[in-house]
Amino acid sequence: MEPRQGRPPRGLYLITPDEADTARLLARVAPLLGQDVAWLQYRNKAAGAALRREQATALQALCSAAGVPLLVNDDAALALAIGAAGAHLGEDDGDVAAARALLGPDAIVGASCYDRLDLAGRAVAAGASYVAFGAFFPTSSKATTRRATVDLLRDAAPLGVPRVAIGGITPANAGPLVDAGADLVAVIGGVFEAPDPVAAVRAYHRCFS
């Protein structure tokens, strides 16, 4: 099945947890890809280069079969090597323009813009496919002192690219972000730490209906 890059993205942007066991990672991700996940991002801050390559390659095969675009966190070169749909770059993870040049015009290239509209504007000018703002709420996935506001999502509308909200987002607090213009909500723990991850995915979907 071909990835759904052509569809306007909307809904859940699922991000993988740090998981050292590749088989377990695939077992956790596989049941969720059939739940109409918009995109999957491979992120593993604890893994070395060899494990990242192994896991990203395995996830790409899984995502390709499910028709879900896979993005690689922080590593455009790895995204290119495994044939992923694109890459997501943080503030210190490389240049958006360089990633766009490396991955080509059809790739999905995302940029973390934290609480700053000016970063988002520069990212779009450099070729970003989407911009991500956050954290909107406290999160255990990473240490952050930057807190984005709902108004930032509205103010970013003229940039003309999808807006991603991230950081402590749950089905209970996602509604105002979606109402303010978030096209996607990016989630790790809200799904993978839930008692029933499939039910959690469905609960996020209801925020967009």
Side-chain angles (χ1 to χ4, degrees):
M1 186 183 299
E2 288 301 312
R4 303 189 299 260
Q5 280 114 304
R7 283 173 46 179
R10 184 167 173 81
L12 182 63
Y13 182 178
L14 189 61
I15 302 176
T16 62
D18 289 354
E19 173 62 73
D21 186 320
T22 300
R24 177 170 158 77
L25 175 64
L26 298 180
R28 296 176 75 183
V29 169
L32 307 177
L33 295 181
Q35 300 298 317
D36 203 26
V37 170
W39 292 337
L40 180 74
Q41 182 187 129
Y42 170 58
R43 176 184 186 272
N44 191 339
K45 294 293 188 180
L51 181 58
R52 282 172 56 83
R53 177 75 177 242
E54 172 190 309
Q55 293 186 336
T57 300
L59 285 171
Q60 173 58 21
L62 205 63
C63 286
S64 180
V68 175
L70 175 70
L71 283 75
V72 176
N73 181 263
D74 295 356
D75 196 335
L78 179 56
L80 179 68
I82 66 164
H88 179 88
L89 302 178
E91 193 171 27
D92 302 315
D93 302 320
D95 180 70
V96 170
R100 171 60 69 202
L102 178 68
L103 296 175
D106 296 327
I108 303 168
V109 177
S112 292
C113 302
Y114 310 100
D115 57 350
R116 292 177 54 186
L117 187 62
D118 63 315
L119 280 182
R122 290 203 293 272
V124 172
S129 309
Y130 70 88
V131 292
F133 297 108
F136 282 91
F137 306 102
T139 173
S140 59
S141 298
K142 65 184 295 185
T144 177
T145 58
R146 308 189 206 187
R147 190 58 51 85
T149 66
V150 170
D151 287 341
L152 187 57
L153 291 167
R154 296 190 183 96
D155 293 343
L159 294 175
V161 298
R163 291 155 285 170
V164 176
I166 190 169
I169 300 171
T170 69
N173 63 27
L177 304 179
V178 174
D179 291 344
D183 299 286
L184 301 112
V185 293
V187 176
I188 306 174
V191 169
F192 286 105
E193 294 174 13
D196 184 340
V198 170
V201 169
R202 291 172 179 166
Y204 281 103
H205 285 327
R206 288 194 289 272
C207 299
F208 289 87
S209 60

